[in-house]
């Protein structure tokens, strides 16, 4: 599993010109599912994501969590996080999970975020989406399950 977490002032995902999900202050999370990923991994990531302290406190130190600031989460499926560009000029996506597993875990991840935080929006798995955001900081974190 790979996640790109961006602290944002706002985020929005549109599909065919229609807004599918939109948030104010919070995280835009790009989520890629790999072939060996599990629900247990989703649980671990969601728990860490909710507790992650990357919002500034009154002294400007990154000491507040998304719950501390009343933030929201926008989750967008992104299998291209598994692009392997080592050979040739056309990326290979062989490391990404099969679409059935990936959609199941994407939906599970969104559900678990909603259960823990409540303020969650999302895109549509497999859709051609347009993502707009204003990265705050900028503050971007990459998580990869192979490193955990």
């Amino acid at each position: 599993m790979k996640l790109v977490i961006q602290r944002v002032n706002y985020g929005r995902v549109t599909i065919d010109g229609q807004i599918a999900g939109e948030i104010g202050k919070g995280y835009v999370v790009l989520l890629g599912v790999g072939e060996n990923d599990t629900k247990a991994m989703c649980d671990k990531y969601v728990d860490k994501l909710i507790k992650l302290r990357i919002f500034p406190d009154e002294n400007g130190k990154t000491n507040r969590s998304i719950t501390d600031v009343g933030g929201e989460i926008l989750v967008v499926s992104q299998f291209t996080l598994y692009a392997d560009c080592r050979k040739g000029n056309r990326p290979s996506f062989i490391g990404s999970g099969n679409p059935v597993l990936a959609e199941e875990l994407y939906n599970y991840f969104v559900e678990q975020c909603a259960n823990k935080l409540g303020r969650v929006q999302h895109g549509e798995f497999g859709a051609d989406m347009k993502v707009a955001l204003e990265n705050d900081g900028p503050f971007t974190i990459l998580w990869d399950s192979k490193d955990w």
Side-chain angles (χ1 to χ4, degrees), residues 34-50:
E35 58 191 358
N36 297 316
D37 292 343
T38 64
K39 287 183 177 180
M41 293 168 111
C42 287
D43 292 338
K44 183 177 180 178
Y45 275 129
V46 169
D47 185 59
K48 185 77 167 180
L49 184 65
I50 300 303

Side-chain angles (χ1 to χ4, degrees), residues 80-100:
T80 60
L81 293 176
Y82 277 89
D84 183 348
C85 299
R86 291 176 291 181
K87 295 181 182 178
N89 295 319
R90 185 173 183 264
S92 168
F93 300 101
I94 197 139
S96 63
N98 77 65
V100 173

Side-chain angles (χ1 to χ4, degrees), residues 18-124:
Q18 300 295 314
I19 296 173
E22 187 169 31
I23 65 166
K25 177 186 243 177
Y27 301 145
V28 170
V29 178
L30 306 177
L31 175 67
V33 175
E35 58 191 358
N36 297 316
D37 292 343
T38 64
K39 287 183 177 180
M41 293 168 111
C42 287
D43 292 338
K44 183 177 180 178
Y45 275 129
V46 169
D47 185 59
K48 185 77 167 180
L49 184 65
I50 300 303
K51 294 176 182 173
L52 189 64
R53 298 183 329 183
I54 63 170
F55 289 94
D57 63 15
E58 61 280 352
N59 298 315
K61 301 289 184 194
T62 53
N63 204 25
R64 291 193 173 146
S65 71
I66 195 162
T67 56
D68 294 334
V69 300
E72 304 170 281
I73 297 175
L74 174 62
V75 184
V76 179
S77 64
Q78 183 94 32
F79 85 96
T80 60
L81 293 176
Y82 277 89
D84 183 348
C85 299
R86 291 176 291 181
K87 295 181 182 178
N89 295 319
R90 185 173 183 264
S92 168
F93 300 101
I94 197 139
S96 63
N98 77 65
V100 173
L101 170 69
E103 184 171 16
E104 177 186 340
L105 291 181
Y106 168 76
N107 290 331
Y108 181 78
F109 185 90
V110 169
E111 178 182 299
Q112 294 309 305
C113 284
N115 288 342
K116 293 208 180 238
L117 186 66
R119 298 171 305 277
V120 177
Q121 298 285 309
H122 56 88
E124 181 182 318

